[in-house]
Amino acid sequence: AQSVTQLGSHVSVSEGALVLLRCNYSSSVPPYLFWYVQYPNQGLQLLLKYTSAATLVKGINGFEAEFKKSETSFHLTKPSAHMSDAAEYFCAVSDLGQFYFGTGTSLTVIP
Amino acid sequence: NAGVTQTPKFQVLKTGQSMTLQCAQDMNHNSMYWYRQDPGMGLRLIYYSASEGTTDKGEVPNGYNVSRLNKREFSLRLESAAPSQTSVYFCASSEAGRARDGYTFGSGTRLTVV
């Protein structure tokens, strides 16, 4: 079975600063990879996904993630944080039809 | 354009009471899932239904039962609620065999058991 590790359960950045949320997965075979965002009191919304096409994936709201097979990583970045980015972010892996979620990273944006 | 609809959105139960969480999707998806979300633990799969007429246990099935009523609806039942079942419950759906599309989630049911 897959496992997904999100380093840092809480990340704080200043408004306008770089956002970097880390995700590593365990698999020798590249799976499908996803980032979901959860705003307060809402469900999970798909931010972006990697499905074996381009390794740099662009998502909504200016986020992007890069698939690095050698590092088994799929880190999420955004060049300039906005107050509206404050949310919980989940990395997920789909392997053989099953989904495996990380434990989430809560992003705080400091004005 | 509803996607996945969950009812109710909030519920408070007393220990030992029963209730059913409802989930319906209008995307003609074959597979449906129930997750619970607890602080620091991410999302844990309770039960899933790969297709109409089938259900299977996930990671944390104890204390729950499910029913795949038809292709659209997948309900989660707590027969005798316990405080440990205080959580946020999410229903999700996907097209079977289309793992690359990911899941579509409902907005959640916030359940408190006192």
Side-chain angles (χ1 to χ4, degrees):
Chain A
Q2 285 274 359
S3 68
V4 181
T5 303
Q6 290 184 240
L7 292 176
S9 58
H10 298 276
V11 171
S12 294
V13 300
S14 297
E15 189 174 16
L18 171 71
V19 176
L20 171 61
L21 305 182
R22 300 177 186 274
C23 174
N24 289 88
Y25 64 94
S26 65
S27 175
S28 59
V29 177
Y32 299 130
L33 297 157
F34 306 82
W35 275 99
Y36 283 84
V37 60
Q38 183 183 28
Y39 298 105
N41 298 315
Q42 295 187 26
L44 278 72
Q45 176 184 355
L46 182 64
L47 200 54
L48 50 79
K49 63 182 179 183
Y50 166 77
T51 58
S52 73
T55 56
L56 183 62
V57 181
K58 294 187 183 298
I60 61 173
N61 301 335
F63 283 93
E64 61 183 34
E66 184 173 9
F67 170 67
K68 291 188 176 181
K69 181 180 178 180
S70 61
E71 299 177 6
T72 60
S73 69
F74 190 55
H75 301 333
L76 181 71
T77 60
K78 182 174 181 178
S80 177
H82 191 272
M83 296 299 294
S84 61
D85 295 327
E88 186 100 18
Y89 292 81
F90 291 93
C91 181
V93 170
S94 176
D95 187 21
L96 300 177
Q98 291 289 336
F99 247 58
Y100 302 89
F101 285 92
T103 52
T105 297
S106 177
L107 177 66
T108 299
V109 182
I110 303 166
Chain B
N1 195 21
V4 178
T5 302
Q6 292 184 235
T7 56
K9 293 189 182 301
F10 301 93
Q11 184 70 51
V12 179
L13 288 179
K14 293 182 179 179
T15 298
Q17 286 185 319
S18 63
M19 80 161 294
T20 299
L21 282 64
Q22 306 287 352
C23 175
Q25 52 91 9
D26 62 1
M27 296 169 288
N28 203 36
H29 284 168
N30 286 303
S31 302
M32 298 184 73
Y33 312 83
W34 276 105
Y35 285 87
R36 59 177 290 172
Q37 182 182 26
D38 302 290
M41 303 189 75
L43 282 83
R44 293 182 291 169
L45 183 63
I46 305 171
Y47 271 93
Y48 67 99
S49 171
S51 61
E52 185 179 357
T54 69
T55 60
D56 286 287
K57 295 178 180 179
E59 180 184 356
V60 289
N62 292 343
Y64 305 95
N65 285 301
V66 291
S67 295
R68 183 73 183 267
L69 305 171
N70 48 55
K71 190 172 185 179
R72 289 187 64 248
E73 299 172 286
F74 187 38
S75 63
L76 178 71
R77 182 161 178 83
L78 287 71
E79 291 291 352
S80 179
S84 61
Q85 294 179 304
T86 293
S87 186
V88 182
Y89 292 85
F90 288 101
C91 178
S93 70
S94 71
E95 185 58 42
R98 294 286 299 271
R100 61 184 293 155
D101 291 339
Y103 289 5
T104 300
F105 285 85
S107 58
T109 295
R110 284 150 183 81
L111 175 67
T112 301
V113 182
V114 297

